[in-house]
Amino acid sequence: MQRDAALAYFTRAMPGTIAVAAAGYALNTLLFISMARFLDPANFGSLKVAGSTMLIASLVVGLGGHRAAGRFLPVRLSGSRQAVAYLRFFGLAILGLSILLAAAIWAVVLTGSDPLPDDIHGHHPVSFVVMLVPIWAGLDLLSQTYMATRRPVLGTLPARFVFPAVGLVVIGVAHWSGWRLSDVMFVALLTASGTLTLLAFAGHLAIAEKVAPPDSGSQSPDTGRRATSAEPRDWLALSLPMMGSSLLVMLVAETPLLALALLDRSHSAGLYGAAALLTQSFLVIVACQRQIYGPAVAGALAEGPAAARRLYAHSQRQALLFVVPLAAALVLGADRLLGLFGPGFAEERVILWILVAGLTVQVPMAMASRWLNYAGLARQVLIAEGTAAAAMVVGTAVSIPQFGPVGAAATYAGVVAAKSIALALLAHRRLGLPVLAAGTGA
């Protein structure tokens, strides 16, 4: 009876969580579509390459501090020396490493050895995206600080909702003011939007912490556990491995786009980037499942194999309920959806179809890595992620010169599908979880 109630909760929670996450994804997609309407595929490709570079760089300069925030930050920041020290340490790390990164990039640019093609301003937008790197890293740290202080709704707002919304408003104002909108100009406008968002939410958090009443649960076990590690080396011992694992996952996702810009041309990167942006809708399902089912994984493993199989199978069947109609919509509506980006983007609809095929395999099995991590098999997961990243680099280097963006899409789809199946098979062999629970039984 208790198990049935728990599964009923997961069934009810998933649609609402998907709706909230999808709203944020829709805002982000609308932001990129609005920028693509002012750019041709080549310049849009340059902008997407700059965006991918920014995501990777912001993860590195943050040293994984946002990932470990929930472990070390107390429920109440006000009056906590550890909270002040933690946020100051990672804030200064973000700022200092971002300055070093900017210096390195501009040293390459000014020596004339920039391997990327120039845009209409004479420099690739990657040269300017360094302005956005500390802003995005700061937004990530701020979001996880909200999560650590038990404000989960506010934690989702800065980077995923407010930033793209402010970006749309700022771009609209610039357009109506008659500004010349290029890929480099968009980087500058997004930097301004991110700065406004970061300042607004950082100010809100500071004020909220000062006026909030004392937390009656401040002596909870997790608070005492967090207080035991108060040195940077303790923080980095946890944050750096988490950053490394996340970086491997990100490299798998972003390598095809970066390789297209280096090995083929920005036009191809633009076509691939538009299709990849649409398929990020699959990742909404993955993120929501991890958010909903993640806290229950450890408990299910402790209950025994039957409870673990039951919960895992339930999550897989629920994922399929969302994946199948989403895949059908993207395949059947490929021309219309790619056409939203502007003329020329629908010429390679097969890119979208290939990406959809790979992600349709990945999503139902995506929770396998979480189960393996919680079962003490994190090393095997890290090996799988590293192998996938290496395969992606080699595969794109071989396929792109001959097949262009179609080759990049095929490499990505093949690698993520193979990695997902390998992790699912490992979870089946070591934990007894079903590889694919499409039926009604556990």
Side-chain angles (χ1 to χ4, degrees):
M1 183 70 69
Q2 188 174 6
R3 291 177 182 176
D4 291 339
L7 294 181
Y9 163 76
F10 294 132
T11 302
R12 293 193 306 270
M14 189 66 180
T17 307
I18 285 275
V20 173
Y25 161 76
L27 273 176
N28 184 67
T29 303
L30 183 60
L31 176 65
F32 274 98
I33 288 176
S34 68
M35 292 187 289
R37 302 294 296 186
F38 294 97
L39 305 170
D40 59 23
N43 281 325
F44 182 73
S46 296
L47 183 65
K48 285 291 292 177
V49 168
S52 296
T53 305
M54 184 275 294
L55 291 175
I56 294 172
S58 64
L59 180 63
V60 173
V61 301
L63 299 179
H66 69 289
R67 299 278 180 177
R71 168 65 177 83
F72 294 110
L73 289 180
V75 175
R76 283 296 312 279
L77 303 181
S78 181
S80 170
R81 293 182 179 179
Q82 176 166 309
V84 173
Y86 186 92
L87 294 175
R88 179 188 293 121
F89 175 80
F90 283 103
L92 290 175
I94 289 171
L95 183 60
L97 292 176
S98 296
I99 292 173
L100 291 177
L101 174 66
I105 288 179
W106 276 98
V108 173
V109 169
L110 295 177
T111 57
S113 55
D114 185 357
L116 295 170
D118 293 345
D119 78 330
I120 58 175
H121 296 277
H123 297 293
H124 195 277
V126 166
S127 305
F128 299 92
V129 81
V130 289
M131 299 185 298
L132 191 53
V133 168
I135 303 301
W136 189 262
L139 286 173
D140 274 340
L141 182 59
L142 180 64
S143 293
Q144 292 305 313
T145 302
Y146 272 118
M147 295 289 187
T149 58
R150 298 178 183 173
R151 297 177 175 96
V153 175
L154 284 170
T156 63
L157 290 180
R160 306 304 174 189
F161 286 88
V162 177
F163 172 59
V166 174
L168 285 168
V169 172
V170 170
I171 290 172
V173 171
H175 172 58
W176 293 323
S177 300
W179 292 18
R180 184 183 183 186
L181 296 177
S182 66
D183 43 10
V184 171
M185 180 56 69
F186 282 129
V187 171
L189 293 174
L190 291 178
T191 300
S193 304
T195 302
L196 291 173
T197 305
L198 182 61
L199 291 175
F201 278 92
H204 171 270
L205 183 62
I207 294 172
E209 280 297 303
K210 287 184 178 180
V211 302
D215 190 344
S216 59
S218 59
Q219 300 301 319
S220 60
D222 69 320
T223 303
R225 175 175 53 84
R226 290 172 182 168
T228 60
S229 299
E231 297 295 331
R233 60 184 176 185
D234 297 315
W235 306 333
L236 293 174
L238 180 64
S239 69
L240 288 179
M242 297 177 76
M243 183 268 285
S245 180
S246 300
L247 183 60
L248 289 174
V249 174
M250 189 174 292
L251 286 175
V252 169
E254 304 298 337
T255 290
L257 185 69
L258 299 175
L260 280 169
L262 290 171
L263 300 177
D264 198 15
R265 58 192 190 280
S266 294
H267 180 273
S268 298
L271 298 177
Y272 179 91
L277 185 64
L278 292 174
T279 56
Q280 285 179 3
S281 50
F282 283 98
L283 303 183
V284 173
I285 302 173
V286 175
C288 291
Q289 286 222 304
R290 287 174 176 169
Q291 180 179 343
I292 292 174
Y293 289 91
V297 170
L301 286 170
E303 286 186 43
R309 285 194 299 269
R310 183 180 177 88
L311 182 62
Y312 186 75
H314 187 271
S315 68
Q316 277 199 328
R317 288 194 293 268
Q318 194 172 65
L320 287 170
L321 289 176
F322 291 95
V323 166
V324 173
L326 176 59
L330 289 174
V331 170
L332 297 176
D335 288 342
R336 187 179 296 274
L337 291 170
L338 290 171
L340 295 174
F341 291 85
F345 282 92
E347 63 184 74
E348 289 285 6
R349 66 187 67 84
V350 68
I351 299 173
L352 180 59
W353 294 344
I354 294 172
L355 293 176
V356 167
L359 290 169
T360 300
V361 174
Q362 180 197 30
V363 173
M365 303 177 183
M367 283 295 293
S369 61
R370 180 64 61 89
W371 285 83
L372 291 167
N373 279 325
Y374 276 54
L377 300 169
R379 183 179 178 184
Q380 287 85 336
V381 175
L382 188 60
I383 290 173
E385 298 291 356
T387 302
M392 190 69 72
V393 172
V394 174
T396 52
V398 172
S399 63
I400 287 176
Q402 186 171 359
F403 301 106
V406 174
T411 300
Y412 177 78
V415 169
V416 298
K419 181 194 72 172
S420 301
I421 293 172
L423 289 174
L425 290 172
L426 179 62
H428 175 69
R429 184 167 62 88
R430 300 295 295 272
L431 305 178
L433 303 179
V435 177
L436 184 64
T440 57

